[in-house]
């Protein structure tokens, strides 16, 4: 009698490729940029000393949150007012990116802000900040919990007309994006009838003024909900809003969508078919985010693959972290808008267009941000001796904590210094130009291809 076949083992992270090459400072620096907000002085070396496995867990399983450094100000010595003043919501979150000891949590919060893109254009700073805390709480937890939370979130209800969706006049906005952008992908496994029926399942949310609390109150009102039978994904039932979410999560197309989109937040090349399938199996266990993220952060494609453009706000936060400088001016709001990424104001419900992170318009914003990041450390007056090209470049790199720089970039920076030195053919030039060259080098370092990508 043949022996019964053993059940297939549950998929584990070890079933996926893991980077087995060197994990030194260059690899740790890339990990801190891809999965965090860039290294503070000494952080890359400290992370490298842990080895890849412990380094990943240090990011994905951080201690209790602690913000270190001075609290944010508006540049005039006043504390910021994120609920009230223009741009201060952006400053509030940028400050957390700079001062938090949980940079990966902030990075994941940014990933979800782009995934479930919601804008101040349709709501208030108060509700956007409330949503931001929701995204942070679920950053590495259950995707089901995150989807349920965002579906009833006040900012999202306003942004995609969820609180205008009732049994008398179903509104399809959220139903469509729930499938197209959040769980399945455009045209992947749903029909226009599914959109209409999903909208019916999502009816019932309201918001109105509550005299008792003196504020707008968001709530689910059963009398506004369509209790009739719906037919969604060929299933029939008296579905409500939670059912609508769960039907999307149980759809066979969902795991593939989730893995591809999450992978793309960290790695610019698509996963192999085998890796895609292994990650889907890992995710299907219990729809947890952390195991999938950890598998991606360990993957060889992250550590040995092509470089990836840093999101503008990550570039800015990383410069401030490298300098140990806090948020001390309102200018970061309009500067980040110029770079193409103002927090809480994505261009549309699909989020930011990453192909525009470095175009002729947004690159000017990066240059301006780099100049502002130097801030009080700019060399203004006094004697400053002319420096040899290698010495000048080494000093500019040290200013930013010695970021990894390719030989090609270093050679171009040294050539810039050599050309500038050759033009110092008068005494006044030799007195004034050396410090101008060093100031320019500091900007060139953080607007170089090596620093704009990781």
């Amino acid at each position: 009698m043949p022996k019964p076949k053993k059940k297939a083992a549950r998929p584990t992270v070890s079933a996926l490729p893991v980077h087995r090459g060197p994990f030194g400072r260059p690899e740790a620096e890339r990990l801190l940029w891809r999965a965090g907000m860039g290294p503070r002085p000494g952080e890359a070396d400290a992370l490298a000393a842990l080895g890849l496995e412990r380094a990943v867990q240090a990011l994905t399983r951080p201690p209790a949150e602690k913000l270190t450094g001075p609290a944010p100000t508006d540049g005039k010595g006043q504390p910021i007012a994120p609920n009230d003043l223009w741009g201060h919501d952006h400053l509030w979150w940028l400050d957390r990116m700079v001062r938090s000891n949980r940079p990966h949590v902030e990075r994941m919060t940014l990933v979800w802000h782009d995934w479930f893109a919601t804008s101040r254009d349709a709501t208030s700073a108060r509700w956007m900040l409330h949503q931001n805390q929701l995204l942070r709480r679920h950053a590495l937890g259950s995707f089901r919990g995150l989807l349920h939370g965002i579906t009833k979130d006040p900012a999202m209800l306003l942004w995609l007309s969820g609180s205008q969706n009732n049994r008398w006049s179903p509104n399809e906005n959220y139903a469509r994006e729930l499938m197209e952008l959040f769980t399945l992908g455009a045209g992947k496994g749903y029909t226009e009838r599914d959109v209409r029926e999903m909208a019916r399942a999502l009816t019932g949310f309201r918001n109105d003024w509550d005299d008792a609390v003196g504020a707008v109150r968001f709530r689910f009102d059963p009398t506004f909900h369509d209790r009739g039978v719906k037919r969604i994904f060929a299933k029939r039932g008296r579905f409500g809003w939670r059912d609508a979410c769960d039907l999307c999560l149980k759809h066979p197309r969902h795991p593939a969508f989730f893995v591809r989109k999450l992978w793309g937040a960290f790695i610019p090349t698509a996963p192999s078919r085998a890796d895609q399938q292994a990650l889907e199996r890992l995710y299907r266990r219990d729809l947890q985010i952390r195991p999938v993220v950890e598998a991606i952060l360990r993957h060889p494609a992250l550590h040995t693959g092509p470089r990836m453009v840093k999101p503008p706000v990550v570039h800015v936060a990383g410069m401030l972290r490298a300098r140990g400088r806090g948020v001390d001016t309102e200018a970061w709001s309009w500067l980040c808008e110029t770079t193409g990424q103002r927090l809480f104001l994505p261009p549309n419900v699909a989020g930011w267009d990453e192909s525009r992170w470095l175009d002729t318009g947004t690159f000017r914003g990066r240059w301006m941000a780099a100049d502002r990041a130097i801030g009080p450390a700019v060399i203004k007056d006094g004697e400053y001796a002319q420096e040899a090209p290698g010495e000048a470049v080494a000093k500019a790199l040290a200013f930013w904590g010695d970021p990894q720089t390719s030989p090609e970039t270093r050679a171009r920076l040294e050539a810039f210094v050599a050309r500038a030195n050759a033009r110092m053919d008068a005494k006044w030039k030799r007195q004034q130009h050396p410090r101008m060259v060093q100031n320019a080098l500091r900007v060139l370092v953080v607007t170089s291809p090596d620093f704009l990508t990781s």
Side-chain angles (χ1 to χ4, degrees), residues 72-93:
T73 63
D74 63 359
K76 303 170 186 174
Q78 298 298 314
I80 63 170
N83 283 322
D84 303 312
L85 297 180
W86 181 92
H88 282 213
D89 51 349
H90 178 98
L91 300 180
W92 176 86
W93 193 2

Side-chain angles (χ1 to χ4, degrees), residues 21 32 80 117 190 304 371 373 385 400:
L32 283 165
I80 63 170
Y190 65 91
T304 62
D371 182 63
W400 293 110

Side-chain angles (χ1 to χ4, degrees), residues 393-414:
V393 171
K395 191 176 290 186
L397 290 169
F399 179 84
W400 293 110
D402 287 314
Q404 296 298 309
T405 309
S406 67
E408 294 80 7
T409 294
R410 190 181 289 263
R412 287 180 178 272
L413 293 173
E414 290 183 5

Side-chain angles (χ1 to χ4, degrees), residues 22 60 108 187 326 419:
T60 61
M108 287 304 302
R419 290 194 302 271

Side-chain angles (χ1 to χ4, degrees), residues 174-412:
Y174 187 76
R176 185 176 302 278
E177 307 310 350
L178 173 63
M179 292 180 281
E180 180 176 326
L181 295 175
F182 303 161
T183 60
L184 302 179
K188 302 291 185 180
Y190 65 91
T191 66
E192 284 300 309
R193 176 174 179 171
D194 290 324
V195 174
R196 292 191 296 271
E197 296 291 275
M198 186 73 75
R200 292 177 57 211
L202 291 163
T203 54
F205 287 103
R206 298 179 60 188
N207 64 284
D208 50 26
W209 184 263
D210 188 335
D211 288 327
V213 297
V216 173
R217 184 164 66 103
F218 288 81
R219 67 190 190 282
F220 181 82
D221 186 340
T223 66
F224 275 50
H225 174 62
D226 183 338
R227 300 179 185 219
V229 174
K230 297 97 178 173
R231 188 172 185 271
I232 304 173
F233 307 146
K235 296 179 174 63
R236 292 174 60 83
R238 297 183 184 276
F239 302 127
W241 71 268
R242 292 181 180 84
D243 302 311
C245 293
D246 292 343
L247 284 166
C248 290
L249 296 175
K250 292 174 183 177
H251 194 290
R253 295 271 193 162
H254 171 63
F257 171 86
F258 176 85
V259 166
R260 280 195 304 270
K261 191 161 184 174
L262 190 60
W263 173 283
F266 301 104
I267 300 174
T269 53
S272 69
R273 183 177 180 183
D275 290 342
Q276 170 80 28
Q277 291 175 343
L279 287 168
E280 288 177 31
R281 289 194 298 271
L282 180 63
Y283 174 63
R284 281 196 193 98
R285 286 189 200 173
D286 46 18
L287 306 187
Q288 289 295 309
I289 298 163
R290 180 182 280 111
V292 181
V293 171
E294 290 179 338
I296 292 171
L297 298 186
R298 293 185 186 98
H299 199 282
L302 187 144
H303 300 279
T304 62
R307 298 180 72 83
M308 190 173 188
V309 176
K310 297 170 185 172
V313 74
V314 173
H315 179 233
V316 168
M319 288 191 292
L320 295 178
R321 288 171 67 87
R323 289 298 303 154
R325 180 183 174 189
V327 173
D328 55 11
T329 172
E330 290 177 318
W332 293 120
S333 295
W334 65 263
L335 280 168
C336 286
E337 191 161 14
T338 306
T339 67
Q341 193 176 31
R342 165 83 183 280
L343 297 171
F344 304 113
L345 272 177
N348 52 58
V349 72
W352 284 281
D353 179 0
E354 295 176 10
S355 68
R356 298 201 61 195
W357 280 160
L358 285 178
D359 63 20
T360 53
T362 57
F363 182 76
R364 177 174 178 269
R366 301 247 193 175
W367 185 274
M368 293 164 65
D371 182 63
R372 184 61 68 107
I374 296 173
V378 69
I379 307 166
K380 295 180 181 178
D381 302 310
E383 292 294 326
Y384 194 88
Q386 188 180 102
E387 298 166 327
E391 177 190 5
V393 171
K395 191 176 290 186
L397 290 169
F399 179 84
W400 293 110
D402 287 314
Q404 296 298 309
T405 309
S406 67
E408 294 80 7
T409 294
R410 190 181 289 263
R412 287 180 178 272

